Amino acid sequence: MSRRNNSARPRRSPAQPPVRETRSRIRTIAAALALVVAGGLVIAAVVLTGGKDSDAGRAGTAAPVAAEDNAQFRALAKLARRDQQDPMALGSANAPVVMIEYSDFQCSFCRQFTQNTEPTLIEKYVGTGTLRIEWRNFPIFGTESEDAARAAWAAGQQGKFWEFRKAVYDSAPKKNSGALTPERLTEFAELAGVPDLARFRADQDSESARAALRTDATEGIDLGITSTPAFLINGRPVLGAQQVEQFIAIIEAARHSGGEGLGK
């Protein structure tokens, strides 16, 4: 199946996501899913477009899923945290479908998904209790990406993660151009309505922020993700800012799968 690679890959030199710490459970899952994630996440076979190229922009239809695929999806679905207090998540912790998103704030395709596709998914599925979206910071473009990720985490500590994310993506910063300075990130926080900017700056530079970033980045690294955005929808892998119809097709397949892949 041909497709556009609507995902961003890091240039040769920028720093990769921080510190490869051991996460034995994730490594075990990743090893078991070598065929699914080899060379990075690929669009899952759960969606076909009736023989059409995925660029056709038509609604996909759910293909039959082999038993071994369902076992793989269930394993990956266990990465959903389902923490109702998670400031970087939208939707009920008990939603039947969880979409985990691995993204970088300097990634143009991540911005494209956020601005053009995600609003439809939020209105159609998050608002109706069907879908939960869990963000994972996956900074693949170096220091500025890492700084923005920690700033986003800090904004989340005051309940303004999603507003901060919107402010950054609306600014469309060019990769490693020097646009995401500490001063500019504070301006984004102010624009997002973060009430205590002194606390924001302290949180951004804290070990807690760095630890949270390492946790998210290590999860993506252990899955073999090499570009952004990348998604798991009830464990079904999707790579790139695909057409909204393809996301809808996978969400519909997941919600009607009889509880497969819920990760509970």
Side-chain angles (χ1 to χ4, degrees), residues 181-223:
T181 63
E183 294 76 18
R184 187 66 174 130
L185 292 170
T186 299
E187 290 176 8
F188 288 138
E190 186 174 14
L191 184 62
V194 174
D196 187 339
L197 294 179
R199 177 189 167 191
F200 164 80
R201 286 187 287 267
D203 284 343
Q204 179 185 359
D205 198 39
S206 68
E207 178 54 32
S208 293
R210 289 180 171 81
L213 182 54
R214 284 195 297 269
T215 296
D216 284 359
T218 298
E219 182 176 296
I221 289 169
D222 288 343
L223 286 171

Side-chain angles (χ1 to χ4, degrees), residues 23-39 41 72 75-76 79 218-225:
R23 294 291 185 273
S24 59
R25 181 171 68 88
I26 300 173
R27 291 186 189 280
T28 299
I29 292 171
L33 297 174
L35 292 178
V36 176
V37 299
L41 292 179
Q72 293 169 343
L76 280 177
L79 294 174
T218 298
E219 182 176 296
I221 289 169
D222 288 343
L223 286 171
I225 297 172

Side-chain angles (χ1 to χ4, degrees), residues 1 42-49 60-66 69-70 73 233-238 246-247 249-255 257:
M1 178 173 65
V42 295
I43 296 179
V46 68
V47 169
L48 298 178
T49 53
T61 57
V65 179
D69 291 330
N70 271 329
F73 296 155
I233 302 177
N234 272 19
R236 294 154 169 81
V238 180
Q246 294 191 334
F247 281 96
I250 298 174
I251 291 168
E252 289 293 338
R255 75 187 292 197
S257 64

Side-chain angles (χ1 to χ4, degrees), residues 128-190:
T128 60
T130 298
L131 178 68
R132 174 178 174 83
I133 300 174
E134 295 187 358
W135 172 277
R136 302 287 193 268
N137 279 310
F138 196 67
I140 62 174
F141 291 109
T143 300
E144 286 188 66
S145 293
E146 294 173 18
D147 289 347
R150 287 188 289 106
W153 181 90
Q157 301 312 292
Q158 298 186 57
K160 294 296 182 180
F161 167 78
W162 297 94
E163 293 85 351
F164 180 89
R165 189 189 70 155
K166 182 180 187 303
V168 176
Y169 278 140
D170 283 352
S171 77
K174 294 183 179 179
K175 294 187 187 77
N176 300 315
S177 64
L180 296 177
T181 63
E183 294 76 18
R184 187 66 174 130
L185 292 170
T186 299
E187 290 176 8
F188 288 138
E190 186 174 14

